[in-house]
Amino acid sequence: MEVNHFILALISLSCLFSVSANAPPPFSNAFSPASSELYDMIAVMSESPSPFAFDGTTLESIDDLLSILPGGVDPALQQICGNTDHPVECIIATMPFLDENAPIEPLSVLKAGIKAMDNQTKNALAEVTKLSMDPTTPKTIVPILQTCIDVYNNILNSDQKSLEAISNHNLVQLSTELGTNVENVLGCDNAFKQAKLESPMKDMDAMLANIISNTLTIGVDMVHF
């Protein structure tokens, strides 16, 4: 089967993940054209009920996509992320933040997921703050953007509480904080919807929502102290 182009895209993505977790690139800028192409494929597969064809290869589901990821992705990570609602996004988000000295297990992947969430939230916060301070932004939009700023600050606060809960082996607090972020991440988009406007943060919020969903699944279903 003609999969060379596809495999090259995945290998490029895999090489990208060699960046140290101590100094990860900004999440929104961390992806090469190859990995952007991978995201496009994920989007098409998520939206289309029919099998997805790429370079003559038929992929029935995102699980099929996972199955041919290059060997640079640890099988333990594939297994953990494979049990989330957004497995490919789970791998993409967590790999730059994994502690290379720690075994890949649900707890270490959860910590990496929270760090990825924190990073993506900070990028979103920087973007929405920039928009709110832009003199060309309509004044009627600024209060909505302030709501988004509050939303992102709440997520950052919950992230820190989640890490504290992990340190204290407090599963109840951990589940509460991760669950709170599921609601928090909807706040910005909802504020724009109420104003009958499309959110400029829609794409960043979508990725953030996937990370939050995955961390909740891992934290609630897989982590045991």
Side-chain angles (χ1 to χ4, degrees):
M1 292 181 289
E2 298 294 330
V3 296
N4 290 342
H5 185 49
F6 185 41
I7 294 298
L8 283 173
L10 292 172
I11 291 173
S12 297
L13 176 62
S14 152
C15 292
L16 176 69
F17 292 144
S18 61
V19 177
S20 169
N22 291 328
F27 201 81
S28 57
N29 299 323
F31 306 117
S32 66
S35 54
S36 295
E37 183 177 8
L38 176 60
Y39 264 120
D40 290 342
M41 288 187 283
I42 294 169
V44 171
M45 292 174 70
S46 298
E47 294 170 2
S48 174
S50 58
F52 175 73
F54 184 82
D55 277 3
T57 302
T58 299
L59 302 174
E60 298 285 347
S61 67
I62 290 178
D63 285 340
D64 290 344
L65 179 59
L66 270 178
S67 70
I68 59 172
L69 283 170
V73 180
D74 191 288
L77 180 61
Q78 289 195 45
Q79 181 177 11
I80 292 168
C81 286
N83 287 315
T84 66
D85 290 334
H86 311 283
V88 176
E89 290 89 339
C90 174
I91 291 173
I92 292 172
T94 58
M95 282 192 72
F97 297 91
L98 285 168
D99 183 349
E100 59 185 26
N101 297 317
I104 294 180
E105 57 188 10
L107 184 57
S108 62
V109 176
L110 174 61
K111 288 179 180 178
I114 293 172
K115 290 176 183 177
M117 188 199 316
D118 201 74
N119 190 62
Q120 177 76 351
T121 303
K122 287 176 180 176
N123 288 333
L125 181 59
E127 180 65 22
V128 77
T129 300
K130 179 181 176 181
L131 288 172
S132 70
M133 297 178 67
D134 189 332
T136 65
T137 298
K139 291 185 178 180
T140 54
I141 303 298
V142 173
I144 305 176
L145 294 174
Q146 183 58 53
T147 296
C148 296
I149 290 173
D150 293 340
V151 164
Y152 298 136
N153 280 323
N154 287 338
I155 293 174
L156 292 175
N157 185 48
S158 287
D159 288 347
Q160 293 307 307
K161 290 182 178 179
S162 294
L163 292 174
E164 290 172 6
I166 290 173
S167 296
N168 295 329
H169 291 185
N170 189 331
L171 278 176
V172 174
Q173 182 187 2
L174 177 62
S175 298
T176 298
E177 296 302 334
L178 295 175
T180 296
N181 276 342
V182 172
E183 296 297 324
N184 284 337
V185 74
L186 301 175
C188 182
D189 194 53
N190 285 343
F192 275 96
K193 284 180 177 178
Q194 288 176 4
K196 296 182 174 18
L197 297 170
E198 183 171 340
S199 171
M201 307 304 298
K202 184 176 180 180
D203 290 341
M204 296 188 79
D205 281 352
M207 183 61 197
L208 182 57
N210 288 342
I211 298 173
I212 289 172
S213 171
N214 288 340
T215 57
L216 179 63
T217 298
I218 295 170
V220 172
D221 296 343
M222 305 182 207
V223 170
H224 307 284
F225 296 128

